Amino acid sequence: GQPKGVAITHAGLQNYLDHAVTTYWQSHLQAAVMSSPLSFDATVTSLFTPLLVGAPLQLIGNGENEFGELVNSLGNGPAKLAKLTPAHLDGLIHLNDSPINTAHYLVVGGEQLSCELYRQCRALFPQATFVNEYGPTETVVGCCINVLEPDSGLSHETNVAIGHPIQNTHLH
């Protein structure tokens, strides 16, 4: 479809970024990885969160080697924060078949996360924390989350649940 501009409030953006800093930025993380275009609302998470805490940010190009760069960046090195789409995760699974045993913090959004893809991602990233983040752009990136720790199990649903609202918000 056609890209659209969405007007959001500064208060909504401030609330989301405060949520991202307090919820997503964990003390063991060394950097963040940004692999989405600046025009994509998901970039707010991976761009501003590390900058607000004074952490390094690694930019991944959107060219033909994007998934290869992501695999290299998220390899068995220092733990990182990354905001990825399920399509990114699917690409990573197809490029790397050996487990990456780093405690990354992977925020997943932009489209629905299936339980099958999550299980494949869990096998690839057994030590990572996954966050299924849901929200239309109008809610400033995400309005609800489901945090999946390494020992979290899933029911036999088709898709990962969207979870509970972020701080200072309500779902109706």
Side-chain angles (χ1 to χ4, degrees), residues 4 12 28 31 44 57 62-63 73 80 92 96 109 129 135 143 147 151-152 159 162:
K4 65 182 189 295
H28 72 281
V44 167
L57 170 64
N62 291 26
S73 179
K80 295 177 181 155
L92 291 174
N96 192 15
T129 296
C143 59
V147 179
D151 58 355
S152 296
N159 296 305
I162 59 174

Side-chain angles (χ1 to χ4, degrees), residues 8-57:
I8 59 173
T9 66
H10 283 97
L13 178 61
Q14 181 180 1
N15 185 65
Y16 177 80
L17 289 173
D18 185 54
H19 153 76
V21 167
T22 58
T23 305
Y24 299 158
W25 193 262
Q26 304 292 305
S27 61
H28 72 281
L29 298 175
Q30 300 295 309
V33 177
M34 187 177 96
S35 64
S36 54
L38 285 174
S39 60
F40 186 29
D41 67 341
T43 299
V44 167
T45 309
S46 51
L47 175 63
F48 293 113
T49 304
L51 297 178
L52 288 168
V53 297
L57 170 64

Side-chain angles (χ1 to χ4, degrees), residues 130-155:
F130 287 85
V131 178
N132 188 34
E133 183 182 81
Y134 170 79
T137 302
E138 292 79 0
T139 64
V140 189
V141 188
C143 59
C144 57
I145 60 170
N146 184 4
V147 179
L148 302 161
E149 299 289 346
D151 58 355
S152 296
L154 283 180
S155 64

Side-chain angles (χ1 to χ4, degrees), residues 156-171:
H156 297 286
E157 298 173 8
T158 304
N159 296 305
V160 175
I162 59 174
H164 64 278
I166 67 169
Q167 65 187 27
N168 301 318
T169 65
H170 299 280
L171 295 178

